[in-house]
Amino acid sequence: MLNKIRFIIWLVIMLLVAYFVSMNSTSISVNLIPGYQTVPLPLSIVIIVSLIIGAILAVILTVGDWIKFKLEIKKLKKQLENCEKEKQVFIQLKDSNQPKSGTENNV
């Protein structure tokens, strides 16, 4: 069911992009560097390429944070394992230091 919903959403997005392209067919030149202009391109293509470049940059920046969070999770899991080991050691020490009620009553 989720795949069908995704397909419908993508279909709607593609229809909106097609409508956007048809409504913005005016050709423009982009000034990238002073004195250098691109060949005339449709406005819609310039906007879509800008959107794609922005999305790629956002993904690149997000990947850095994602890696940082994964490393932090790994460090915290290791710390949790160490704490669990210490807990087991303390439990064993507590059990070994407690006097057994059955042996003291017989003396």
Side-chain angles (χ1 to χ4, degrees), residues 1-52:
M1 183 69 182
L2 187 60
N3 288 334
K4 291 179 183 179
I5 293 172
R6 285 182 186 167
F7 176 73
I8 291 171
I9 290 172
W10 275 109
L11 186 61
V12 169
I13 290 172
M14 289 299 136
L15 288 173
L16 290 173
V17 168
Y19 176 74
F20 175 77
V21 169
S22 67
M23 297 305 291
N24 293 298
S25 60
T26 305
S27 293
I28 61 167
S29 293
V30 179
N31 295 323
L32 297 174
I33 301 172
Y36 177 74
Q37 289 185 349
T38 63
V39 294
L41 298 168
L43 176 62
S44 58
I45 299 298
V46 172
I47 293 173
I48 290 173
V49 168
S50 300
L51 180 74
I52 291 170

mmCIF file of all heavy atoms in Angstrom, residues 1-52:
data_model
loop_
_atom_site.group_PDB
_atom_site.id
_atom_site.type_symbol
_atom_site.label_atom_id
_atom_site.label_comp_id
_atom_site.label_asym_id
_atom_site.label_seq_id
_atom_site.Cartn_x
_atom_site.Cartn_y
_atom_site.Cartn_z
ATOM 1 N N MET A 1 0.828 -1.199 0.000
ATOM 2 C CA MET A 1 0.000 0.000 0.000
ATOM 3 C C MET A 1 0.865 1.252 0.000
ATOM 4 O O MET A 1 0.556 2.217 -0.680
ATOM 5 C CB MET A 1 -0.911 -0.048 1.237
ATOM 6 C CG MET A 1 -1.862 1.080 1.338
ATOM 7 S SD MET A 1 -3.080 0.931 0.032
ATOM 8 C CE MET A 1 -4.022 2.372 0.313
ATOM 9 N N LEU A 2 1.952 1.210 0.780
ATOM 10 C CA LEU A 2 2.837 2.364 0.870
ATOM 11 C C LEU A 2 3.489 2.657 -0.483
ATOM 12 O O LEU A 2 3.656 3.827 -0.848
ATOM 13 C CB LEU A 2 3.896 2.129 1.945
ATOM 14 C CG LEU A 2 4.804 3.298 2.276
ATOM 15 C CD1 LEU A 2 3.994 4.490 2.772
ATOM 16 C CD2 LEU A 2 5.829 2.892 3.317
ATOM 17 N N ASN A 3 3.820 1.603 -1.245
ATOM 18 C CA ASN A 3 4.425 1.801 -2.557
ATOM 19 C C ASN A 3 3.458 2.492 -3.519
ATOM 20 O O ASN A 3 3.868 3.327 -4.331
ATOM 21 C CB ASN A 3 4.877 0.469 -3.148
ATOM 22 C CG ASN A 3 6.098 -0.069 -2.439
ATOM 23 O OD1 ASN A 3 6.876 0.682 -1.867
ATOM 24 N ND2 ASN A 3 6.265 -1.372 -2.470
ATOM 25 N N LYS A 4 2.184 2.152 -3.416
ATOM 26 C CA LYS A 4 1.186 2.791 -4.276
ATOM 27 C C LYS A 4 1.048 4.273 -3.929
ATOM 28 O O LYS A 4 0.922 5.116 -4.823
ATOM 29 C CB LYS A 4 -0.161 2.089 -4.139
ATOM 30 C CG LYS A 4 -0.167 0.701 -4.723
ATOM 31 C CD LYS A 4 -1.507 0.033 -4.533
ATOM 32 C CE LYS A 4 -1.471 -1.394 -5.055
ATOM 33 N NZ LYS A 4 -2.740 -2.091 -4.867
ATOM 34 N N ILE A 5 1.087 4.585 -2.649
ATOM 35 C CA ILE A 5 0.982 5.987 -2.229
ATOM 36 C C ILE A 5 2.197 6.765 -2.719
ATOM 37 O O ILE A 5 2.060 7.882 -3.228
ATOM 38 C CB ILE A 5 0.836 6.073 -0.700
ATOM 39 C CG1 ILE A 5 -0.509 5.483 -0.272
ATOM 40 C CG2 ILE A 5 0.969 7.515 -0.213
ATOM 41 C CD1 ILE A 5 -0.677 5.341 1.229
ATOM 42 N N ARG A 6 3.385 6.171 -2.588
ATOM 43 C CA ARG A 6 4.595 6.837 -3.092
ATOM 44 C C ARG A 6 4.513 7.062 -4.599
ATOM 45 O O ARG A 6 4.899 8.118 -5.102
ATOM 46 C CB ARG A 6 5.835 5.993 -2.776
ATOM 47 C CG ARG A 6 6.258 6.049 -1.354
ATOM 48 C CD ARG A 6 7.507 5.237 -1.139
ATOM 49 N NE ARG A 6 7.850 5.178 0.267
ATOM 50 C CZ ARG A 6 8.723 4.360 0.786
ATOM 51 N NH1 ARG A 6 9.359 3.494 0.022
ATOM 52 N NH2 ARG A 6 8.973 4.375 2.067
ATOM 53 N N PHE A 7 4.030 6.052 -5.325
ATOM 54 C CA PHE A 7 3.898 6.193 -6.768
ATOM 55 C C PHE A 7 2.950 7.334 -7.124
ATOM 56 O O PHE A 7 3.236 8.139 -8.012
ATOM 57 C CB PHE A 7 3.401 4.875 -7.382
ATOM 58 C CG PHE A 7 3.156 4.961 -8.850
ATOM 59 C CD1 PHE A 7 4.224 5.013 -9.739
ATOM 60 C CD2 PHE A 7 1.872 4.996 -9.357
ATOM 61 C CE1 PHE A 7 4.008 5.111 -11.102
ATOM 62 C CE2 PHE A 7 1.636 5.086 -10.712
ATOM 63 C CZ PHE A 7 2.713 5.145 -11.596
ATOM 64 N N ILE A 8 1.847 7.432 -6.426
ATOM 65 C CA ILE A 8 0.878 8.508 -6.700
ATOM 66 C C ILE A 8 1.496 9.867 -6.378
ATOM 67 O O ILE A 8 1.325 10.829 -7.138
ATOM 68 C CB ILE A 8 -0.427 8.271 -5.899
ATOM 69 C CG1 ILE A 8 -1.149 7.046 -6.455
ATOM 70 C CG2 ILE A 8 -1.325 9.497 -5.930
ATOM 71 C CD1 ILE A 8 -2.321 6.576 -5.621
ATOM 72 N N ILE A 9 2.233 9.955 -5.272
ATOM 73 C CA ILE A 9 2.880 11.226 -4.917
ATOM 74 C C ILE A 9 3.900 11.624 -5.982
ATOM 75 O O ILE A 9 3.941 12.784 -6.413
ATOM 76 C CB ILE A 9 3.521 11.127 -3.519
ATOM 77 C CG1 ILE A 9 2.429 11.062 -2.446
ATOM 78 C CG2 ILE A 9 4.455 12.310 -3.256
ATOM 79 C CD1 ILE A 9 2.935 10.761 -1.054
ATOM 80 N N TRP A 10 4.724 10.656 -6.430
ATOM 81 C CA TRP A 10 5.698 10.964 -7.482
ATOM 82 C C TRP A 10 5.004 11.362 -8.788
ATOM 83 O O TRP A 10 5.476 12.251 -9.509
ATOM 84 C CB TRP A 10 6.638 9.783 -7.726
ATOM 85 C CG TRP A 10 7.785 9.773 -6.779
ATOM 86 C CD1 TRP A 10 7.983 8.904 -5.750
ATOM 87 C CD2 TRP A 10 8.874 10.700 -6.737
ATOM 88 N NE1 TRP A 10 9.132 9.243 -5.078
ATOM 89 C CE2 TRP A 10 9.705 10.332 -5.666
ATOM 90 C CE3 TRP A 10 9.234 11.806 -7.503
ATOM 91 C CZ2 TRP A 10 10.865 11.023 -5.343
ATOM 92 C CZ3 TRP A 10 10.384 12.495 -7.178
ATOM 93 C CH2 TRP A 10 11.186 12.104 -6.112
ATOM 94 N N LEU A 11 3.910 10.718 -9.106
ATOM 95 C CA LEU A 11 3.161 11.062 -10.310
ATOM 96 C C LEU A 11 2.637 12.497 -10.229
ATOM 97 O O LEU A 11 2.745 13.265 -11.204
ATOM 98 C CB LEU A 11 2.004 10.070 -10.500
ATOM 99 C CG LEU A 11 1.203 10.199 -11.787
ATOM 100 C CD1 LEU A 11 2.092 9.977 -12.987
ATOM 101 C CD2 LEU A 11 0.053 9.208 -11.782
ATOM 102 N N VAL A 12 2.107 12.882 -9.080
ATOM 103 C CA VAL A 12 1.617 14.251 -8.892
ATOM 104 C C VAL A 12 2.776 15.243 -9.003
ATOM 105 O O VAL A 12 2.649 16.295 -9.652
ATOM 106 C CB VAL A 12 0.881 14.385 -7.537
ATOM 107 C CG1 VAL A 12 0.608 15.837 -7.199
ATOM 108 C CG2 VAL A 12 -0.406 13.586 -7.556
ATOM 109 N N ILE A 13 3.913 14.912 -8.410
ATOM 110 C CA ILE A 13 5.081 15.808 -8.490
ATOM 111 C C ILE A 13 5.533 15.961 -9.933
ATOM 112 O O ILE A 13 5.831 17.074 -10.389
ATOM 113 C CB ILE A 13 6.224 15.284 -7.586
ATOM 114 C CG1 ILE A 13 5.839 15.458 -6.123
ATOM 115 C CG2 ILE A 13 7.529 16.004 -7.890
ATOM 116 C CD1 ILE A 13 6.796 14.805 -5.153
ATOM 117 N N MET A 14 5.575 14.867 -10.681
ATOM 118 C CA MET A 14 5.993 14.945 -12.086
ATOM 119 C C MET A 14 5.008 15.778 -12.909
ATOM 120 O O MET A 14 5.416 16.533 -13.794
ATOM 121 C CB MET A 14 6.131 13.539 -12.678
ATOM 122 C CG MET A 14 7.297 12.764 -12.159
ATOM 123 S SD MET A 14 8.839 13.614 -12.550
ATOM 124 C CE MET A 14 9.680 13.449 -11.020
ATOM 125 N N LEU A 15 3.733 15.650 -12.631
ATOM 126 C CA LEU A 15 2.747 16.467 -13.342
ATOM 127 C C LEU A 15 2.927 17.950 -13.009
ATOM 128 O O LEU A 15 2.812 18.808 -13.898
ATOM 129 C CB LEU A 15 1.330 16.004 -13.001
ATOM 130 C CG LEU A 15 0.907 14.660 -13.599
ATOM 131 C CD1 LEU A 15 -0.443 14.236 -13.036
ATOM 132 C CD2 LEU A 15 0.866 14.734 -15.111
ATOM 133 N N LEU A 16 3.219 18.247 -11.748
ATOM 134 C CA LEU A 16 3.469 19.645 -11.369
ATOM 135 C C LEU A 16 4.723 20.187 -12.043
ATOM 136 O O LEU A 16 4.739 21.338 -12.498
ATOM 137 C CB LEU A 16 3.579 19.764 -9.848
ATOM 138 C CG LEU A 16 2.289 19.571 -9.064
ATOM 139 C CD1 LEU A 16 2.573 19.543 -7.562
ATOM 140 C CD2 LEU A 16 1.289 20.661 -9.401
ATOM 141 N N VAL A 17 5.766 19.360 -12.133
ATOM 142 C CA VAL A 17 6.997 19.788 -12.816
ATOM 143 C C VAL A 17 6.719 20.021 -14.296
ATOM 144 O O VAL A 17 7.181 21.015 -14.876
ATOM 145 C CB VAL A 17 8.124 18.753 -12.608
ATOM 146 C CG1 VAL A 17 9.305 19.020 -13.534
ATOM 147 C CG2 VAL A 17 8.579 18.757 -11.156
ATOM 148 N N ALA A 18 5.971 19.134 -14.907
ATOM 149 C CA ALA A 18 5.630 19.307 -16.330
ATOM 150 C C ALA A 18 4.827 20.592 -16.547
ATOM 151 O O ALA A 18 5.084 21.340 -17.508
ATOM 152 C CB ALA A 18 4.840 18.098 -16.830
ATOM 153 N N TYR A 19 3.896 20.875 -15.655
ATOM 154 C CA TYR A 19 3.132 22.118 -15.752
ATOM 155 C C TYR A 19 4.048 23.330 -15.575
ATOM 156 O O TYR A 19 3.968 24.305 -16.306
ATOM 157 C CB TYR A 19 2.021 22.128 -14.697
ATOM 158 C CG TYR A 19 1.241 23.411 -14.662
ATOM 159 C CD1 TYR A 19 0.313 23.708 -15.660
ATOM 160 C CD2 TYR A 19 1.444 24.346 -13.653
ATOM 161 C CE1 TYR A 19 -0.404 24.896 -15.638
ATOM 162 C CE2 TYR A 19 0.740 25.537 -13.631
ATOM 163 C CZ TYR A 19 -0.180 25.809 -14.610
ATOM 164 O OH TYR A 19 -0.866 26.979 -14.603
ATOM 165 N N PHE A 20 4.954 23.236 -14.589
ATOM 166 C CA PHE A 20 5.910 24.315 -14.330
ATOM 167 C C PHE A 20 6.778 24.576 -15.562
ATOM 168 O O PHE A 20 7.004 25.724 -15.937
ATOM 169 C CB PHE A 20 6.775 23.928 -13.119
ATOM 170 C CG PHE A 20 7.874 24.894 -12.825
ATOM 171 C CD1 PHE A 20 7.611 26.096 -12.200
ATOM 172 C CD2 PHE A 20 9.179 24.595 -13.165
ATOM 173 C CE1 PHE A 20 8.623 26.988 -11.924
ATOM 174 C CE2 PHE A 20 10.203 25.475 -12.899
ATOM 175 C CZ PHE A 20 9.926 26.674 -12.277
ATOM 176 N N VAL A 21 7.269 23.525 -16.191
ATOM 177 C CA VAL A 21 8.120 23.671 -17.377
ATOM 178 C C VAL A 21 7.340 24.316 -18.514
ATOM 179 O O VAL A 21 7.854 25.195 -19.217
ATOM 180 C CB VAL A 21 8.699 22.302 -17.796
ATOM 181 C CG1 VAL A 21 9.349 22.369 -19.161
ATOM 182 C CG2 VAL A 21 9.703 21.818 -16.760
ATOM 183 N N SER A 22 6.111 23.915 -18.691
ATOM 184 C CA SER A 22 5.324 24.472 -19.798
ATOM 185 C C SER A 22 4.990 25.943 -19.573
ATOM 186 O O SER A 22 4.865 26.713 -20.529
ATOM 187 C CB SER A 22 4.046 23.666 -19.999
ATOM 188 O OG SER A 22 3.190 23.833 -18.891
ATOM 189 N N MET A 23 4.875 26.366 -18.323
ATOM 190 C CA MET A 23 4.533 27.755 -18.032
ATOM 191 C C MET A 23 5.752 28.681 -18.012
ATOM 192 O O MET A 23 5.606 29.892 -18.094
ATOM 193 C CB MET A 23 3.812 27.851 -16.676
ATOM 194 C CG MET A 23 2.487 27.118 -16.645
ATOM 195 S SD MET A 23 1.352 27.620 -17.944
ATOM 196 C CE MET A 23 0.947 29.254 -17.425
ATOM 197 N N ASN A 24 6.966 28.139 -17.895
ATOM 198 C CA ASN A 24 8.182 28.952 -17.817
ATOM 199 C C ASN A 24 9.147 28.597 -18.949
ATOM 200 O O ASN A 24 10.243 28.110 -18.717
ATOM 201 C CB ASN A 24 8.876 28.731 -16.464
ATOM 202 C CG ASN A 24 8.059 29.262 -15.326
ATOM 203 O OD1 ASN A 24 7.795 30.448 -15.264
ATOM 204 N ND2 ASN A 24 7.632 28.378 -14.442
ATOM 205 N N SER A 25 8.711 28.849 -20.144
ATOM 206 C CA SER A 25 9.535 28.498 -21.295
ATOM 207 C C SER A 25 10.351 29.675 -21.821
ATOM 208 O O SER A 25 11.043 29.546 -22.822
ATOM 209 C CB SER A 25 8.667 27.925 -22.402
ATOM 210 O OG SER A 25 7.706 28.897 -22.789
ATOM 211 N N THR A 26 10.308 30.820 -21.153
ATOM 212 C CA THR A 26 11.071 31.992 -21.573
ATOM 213 C C THR A 26 12.562 31.682 -21.461
ATOM 214 O O THR A 26 13.034 31.130 -20.473
ATOM 215 C CB THR A 26 10.744 33.194 -20.665
ATOM 216 O OG1 THR A 26 9.336 33.396 -20.663
ATOM 217 C CG2 THR A 26 11.445 34.444 -21.144
ATOM 218 N N SER A 27 13.323 32.051 -22.487
ATOM 219 C CA SER A 27 14.768 31.799 -22.474
ATOM 220 C C SER A 27 15.494 32.943 -21.780
ATOM 221 O O SER A 27 15.173 34.111 -21.972
ATOM 222 C CB SER A 27 15.298 31.651 -23.894
ATOM 223 O OG SER A 27 14.782 30.491 -24.479
ATOM 224 N N ILE A 28 16.478 32.570 -20.953
ATOM 225 C CA ILE A 28 17.287 33.567 -20.258
ATOM 226 C C ILE A 28 18.746 33.149 -20.335
ATOM 227 O O ILE A 28 19.073 31.994 -20.596
ATOM 228 C CB ILE A 28 16.879 33.709 -18.769
ATOM 229 C CG1 ILE A 28 17.078 32.384 -18.027
ATOM 230 C CG2 ILE A 28 15.468 34.197 -18.631
ATOM 231 C CD1 ILE A 28 17.005 32.514 -16.531
ATOM 232 N N SER A 29 19.650 34.110 -20.109
ATOM 233 C CA SER A 29 21.078 33.832 -19.996
ATOM 234 C C SER A 29 21.475 34.070 -18.540
ATOM 235 O O SER A 29 21.052 35.041 -17.924
ATOM 236 C CB SER A 29 21.880 34.748 -20.905
ATOM 237 O OG SER A 29 21.608 34.457 -22.253
ATOM 238 N N VAL A 30 22.304 33.198 -18.017
ATOM 239 C CA VAL A 30 22.731 33.301 -16.631
ATOM 240 C C VAL A 30 24.155 33.832 -16.607
ATOM 241 O O VAL A 30 25.023 33.351 -17.327
ATOM 242 C CB VAL A 30 22.657 31.923 -15.929
ATOM 243 C CG1 VAL A 30 23.130 32.018 -14.495
ATOM 244 C CG2 VAL A 30 21.247 31.373 -16.002
ATOM 245 N N ASN A 31 24.405 34.854 -15.748
ATOM 246 C CA ASN A 31 25.746 35.388 -15.569
ATOM 247 C C ASN A 31 26.437 34.616 -14.445
ATOM 248 O O ASN A 31 26.155 34.827 -13.264
ATOM 249 C CB ASN A 31 25.695 36.880 -15.209
ATOM 250 C CG ASN A 31 25.137 37.707 -16.338
ATOM 251 O OD1 ASN A 31 25.389 37.446 -17.499
ATOM 252 N ND2 ASN A 31 24.341 38.706 -15.989
ATOM 253 N N LEU A 32 27.320 33.693 -14.802
ATOM 254 C CA LEU A 32 28.019 32.893 -13.803
ATOM 255 C C LEU A 32 29.214 33.651 -13.242
ATOM 256 O O LEU A 32 29.414 33.714 -12.045
ATOM 257 C CB LEU A 32 28.484 31.570 -14.416
ATOM 258 C CG LEU A 32 27.359 30.645 -14.895
ATOM 259 C CD1 LEU A 32 27.941 29.438 -15.604
ATOM 260 C CD2 LEU A 32 26.493 30.225 -13.736
ATOM 261 N N ILE A 33 30.014 34.211 -14.115
ATOM 262 C CA ILE A 33 31.202 34.991 -13.764
ATOM 263 C C ILE A 33 31.060 36.315 -14.511
ATOM 264 O O ILE A 33 30.567 36.330 -15.640
ATOM 265 C CB ILE A 33 32.491 34.256 -14.201
ATOM 266 C CG1 ILE A 33 32.579 32.881 -13.523
ATOM 267 C CG2 ILE A 33 33.731 35.060 -13.870
ATOM 268 C CD1 ILE A 33 33.708 32.019 -14.031
ATOM 269 N N PRO A 34 31.484 37.416 -13.905
ATOM 270 C CA PRO A 34 31.366 38.687 -14.642
ATOM 271 C C PRO A 34 32.016 38.591 -16.024
ATOM 272 O O PRO A 34 33.156 38.178 -16.168
ATOM 273 C CB PRO A 34 32.111 39.685 -13.754
ATOM 274 C CG PRO A 34 32.046 39.095 -12.382
ATOM 275 C CD PRO A 34 32.042 37.618 -12.570
ATOM 276 N N GLY A 35 31.237 38.906 -17.019
ATOM 277 C CA GLY A 35 31.719 38.863 -18.395
ATOM 278 C C GLY A 35 31.459 37.541 -19.092
ATOM 279 O O GLY A 35 31.769 37.387 -20.267
ATOM 280 N N TYR A 36 30.915 36.564 -18.402
ATOM 281 C CA TYR A 36 30.629 35.258 -19.005
ATOM 282 C C TYR A 36 29.159 34.923 -18.807
ATOM 283 O O TYR A 36 28.665 34.890 -17.689
ATOM 284 C CB TYR A 36 31.492 34.156 -18.382
ATOM 285 C CG TYR A 36 31.182 32.787 -18.936
ATOM 286 C CD1 TYR A 36 31.588 32.421 -20.213
ATOM 287 C CD2 TYR A 36 30.443 31.869 -18.198
ATOM 288 C CE1 TYR A 36 31.284 31.174 -20.721
ATOM 289 C CE2 TYR A 36 30.135 30.621 -18.701
ATOM 290 C CZ TYR A 36 30.563 30.280 -19.969
ATOM 291 O OH TYR A 36 30.253 29.057 -20.479
ATOM 292 N N GLN A 37 28.468 34.690 -19.905
ATOM 293 C CA GLN A 37 27.055 34.315 -19.853
ATOM 294 C C GLN A 37 26.873 32.945 -20.486
ATOM 295 O O GLN A 37 27.595 32.570 -21.414
ATOM 296 C CB GLN A 37 26.200 35.319 -20.633
ATOM 297 C CG GLN A 37 26.077 36.665 -19.980
ATOM 298 C CD GLN A 37 25.115 37.561 -20.757
ATOM 299 O OE1 GLN A 37 24.724 37.229 -21.865
ATOM 300 N NE2 GLN A 37 24.743 38.676 -20.162
ATOM 301 N N THR A 38 25.903 32.216 -19.969
ATOM 302 C CA THR A 38 25.587 30.920 -20.566
ATOM 303 C C THR A 38 24.776 31.142 -21.829
ATOM 304 O O THR A 38 24.289 32.247 -22.100
ATOM 305 C CB THR A 38 24.765 30.055 -19.592
ATOM 306 O OG1 THR A 38 23.529 30.710 -19.337
ATOM 307 C CG2 THR A 38 25.518 29.806 -18.310
ATOM 308 N N VAL A 39 24.635 30.096 -22.591
ATOM 309 C CA VAL A 39 23.749 30.171 -23.754
ATOM 310 C C VAL A 39 22.326 30.323 -23.231
ATOM 311 O O VAL A 39 22.025 29.911 -22.115
ATOM 312 C CB VAL A 39 23.870 28.902 -24.631
ATOM 313 C CG1 VAL A 39 25.245 28.813 -25.257
ATOM 314 C CG2 VAL A 39 23.556 27.655 -23.868
ATOM 315 N N PRO A 40 21.447 30.929 -24.004
ATOM 316 C CA PRO A 40 20.065 31.091 -23.535
ATOM 317 C C PRO A 40 19.418 29.725 -23.235
ATOM 318 O O PRO A 40 19.443 28.821 -24.047
ATOM 319 C CB PRO A 40 19.367 31.787 -24.692
ATOM 320 C CG PRO A 40 20.461 32.476 -25.424
ATOM 321 C CD PRO A 40 21.667 31.609 -25.279
ATOM 322 N N LEU A 41 18.900 29.606 -22.023
ATOM 323 C CA LEU A 41 18.228 28.387 -21.563
ATOM 324 C C LEU A 41 16.825 28.741 -21.086
ATOM 325 O O LEU A 41 16.596 29.850 -20.618
ATOM 326 C CB LEU A 41 18.993 27.768 -20.390
ATOM 327 C CG LEU A 41 20.417 27.298 -20.641
ATOM 328 C CD1 LEU A 41 21.106 26.992 -19.328
ATOM 329 C CD2 LEU A 41 20.390 26.061 -21.510
ATOM 330 N N PRO A 42 15.894 27.802 -21.181
ATOM 331 C CA PRO A 42 14.563 28.068 -20.632
ATOM 332 C C PRO A 42 14.645 28.302 -19.111
ATOM 333 O O PRO A 42 15.432 27.669 -18.416
ATOM 334 C CB PRO A 42 13.778 26.796 -20.937
ATOM 335 C CG PRO A 42 14.524 26.128 -22.034
ATOM 336 C CD PRO A 42 15.955 26.523 -21.869
ATOM 337 N N LEU A 43 13.855 29.232 -18.634
ATOM 338 C CA LEU A 43 13.843 29.579 -17.211
ATOM 339 C C LEU A 43 13.563 28.359 -16.336
ATOM 340 O O LEU A 43 14.180 28.186 -15.289
ATOM 341 C CB LEU A 43 12.796 30.667 -16.956
ATOM 342 C CG LEU A 43 12.582 31.090 -15.513
ATOM 343 C CD1 LEU A 43 13.871 31.685 -14.954
ATOM 344 C CD2 LEU A 43 11.440 32.082 -15.416
ATOM 345 N N SER A 44 12.667 27.509 -16.774
ATOM 346 C CA SER A 44 12.331 26.327 -15.988
ATOM 347 C C SER A 44 13.533 25.405 -15.811
ATOM 348 O O SER A 44 13.750 24.848 -14.722
ATOM 349 C CB SER A 44 11.184 25.563 -16.641
ATOM 350 O OG SER A 44 11.547 25.193 -17.959
ATOM 351 N N ILE A 45 14.352 25.249 -16.841
ATOM 352 C CA ILE A 45 15.545 24.398 -16.747
ATOM 353 C C ILE A 45 16.530 24.993 -15.752
ATOM 354 O O ILE A 45 17.119 24.277 -14.937
ATOM 355 C CB ILE A 45 16.205 24.223 -18.134
ATOM 356 C CG1 ILE A 45 15.250 23.547 -19.111
ATOM 357 C CG2 ILE A 45 17.510 23.455 -18.021
ATOM 358 C CD1 ILE A 45 14.835 22.151 -18.718
ATOM 359 N N VAL A 46 16.709 26.305 -15.780
ATOM 360 C CA VAL A 46 17.620 26.967 -14.848
ATOM 361 C C VAL A 46 17.148 26.764 -13.410
ATOM 362 O O VAL A 46 17.947 26.439 -12.517
ATOM 363 C CB VAL A 46 17.741 28.480 -15.186
ATOM 364 C CG1 VAL A 46 18.531 29.211 -14.114
ATOM 365 C CG2 VAL A 46 18.383 28.672 -16.552
ATOM 366 N N ILE A 47 15.859 26.901 -13.177
ATOM 367 C CA ILE A 47 15.320 26.731 -11.824
ATOM 368 C C ILE A 47 15.448 25.278 -11.370
ATOM 369 O O ILE A 47 15.853 25.010 -10.233
ATOM 370 C CB ILE A 47 13.858 27.219 -11.755
ATOM 371 C CG1 ILE A 47 13.823 28.733 -11.958
ATOM 372 C CG2 ILE A 47 13.217 26.837 -10.437
ATOM 373 C CD1 ILE A 47 12.439 29.310 -12.072
ATOM 374 N N ILE A 48 15.139 24.322 -12.229
ATOM 375 C CA ILE A 48 15.232 22.909 -11.863
ATOM 376 C C ILE A 48 16.687 22.513 -11.589
ATOM 377 O O ILE A 48 16.972 21.807 -10.617
ATOM 378 C CB ILE A 48 14.599 22.020 -12.951
ATOM 379 C CG1 ILE A 48 13.084 22.219 -12.954
ATOM 380 C CG2 ILE A 48 14.952 20.554 -12.754
ATOM 381 C CD1 ILE A 48 12.354 21.542 -14.083
ATOM 382 N N VAL A 49 17.633 22.981 -12.410
ATOM 383 C CA VAL A 49 19.050 22.684 -12.175
ATOM 384 C C VAL A 49 19.499 23.306 -10.851
ATOM 385 O O VAL A 49 20.239 22.677 -10.075
ATOM 386 C CB VAL A 49 19.916 23.163 -13.357
ATOM 387 C CG1 VAL A 49 21.394 23.127 -13.019
ATOM 388 C CG2 VAL A 49 19.635 22.318 -14.593
ATOM 389 N N SER A 50 19.057 24.522 -10.565
ATOM 390 C CA SER A 50 19.397 25.153 -9.285
ATOM 391 C C SER A 50 18.839 24.356 -8.114
ATOM 392 O O SER A 50 19.508 24.179 -7.091
ATOM 393 C CB SER A 50 18.853 26.579 -9.230
ATOM 394 O OG SER A 50 19.405 27.352 -10.254
ATOM 395 N N LEU A 51 17.632 23.860 -8.259
ATOM 396 C CA LEU A 51 17.008 23.039 -7.227
ATOM 397 C C LEU A 51 17.798 21.747 -7.010
ATOM 398 O O LEU A 51 18.046 21.345 -5.866
ATOM 399 C CB LEU A 51 15.564 22.717 -7.617
ATOM 400 C CG LEU A 51 14.789 21.857 -6.631
ATOM 401 C CD1 LEU A 51 14.421 22.684 -5.413
ATOM 402 C CD2 LEU A 51 13.550 21.308 -7.288
ATOM 403 N N ILE A 52 18.224 21.113 -8.098
ATOM 404 C CA ILE A 52 18.996 19.865 -7.987
ATOM 405 C C ILE A 52 20.342 20.126 -7.324
ATOM 406 O O ILE A 52 20.765 19.362 -6.437
ATOM 407 C CB ILE A 52 19.168 19.217 -9.376
ATOM 408 C CG1 ILE A 52 17.816 18.699 -9.873
ATOM 409 C CG2 ILE A 52 20.211 18.104 -9.348
ATOM 410 C CD1 ILE A 52 17.807 18.247 -11.320
#
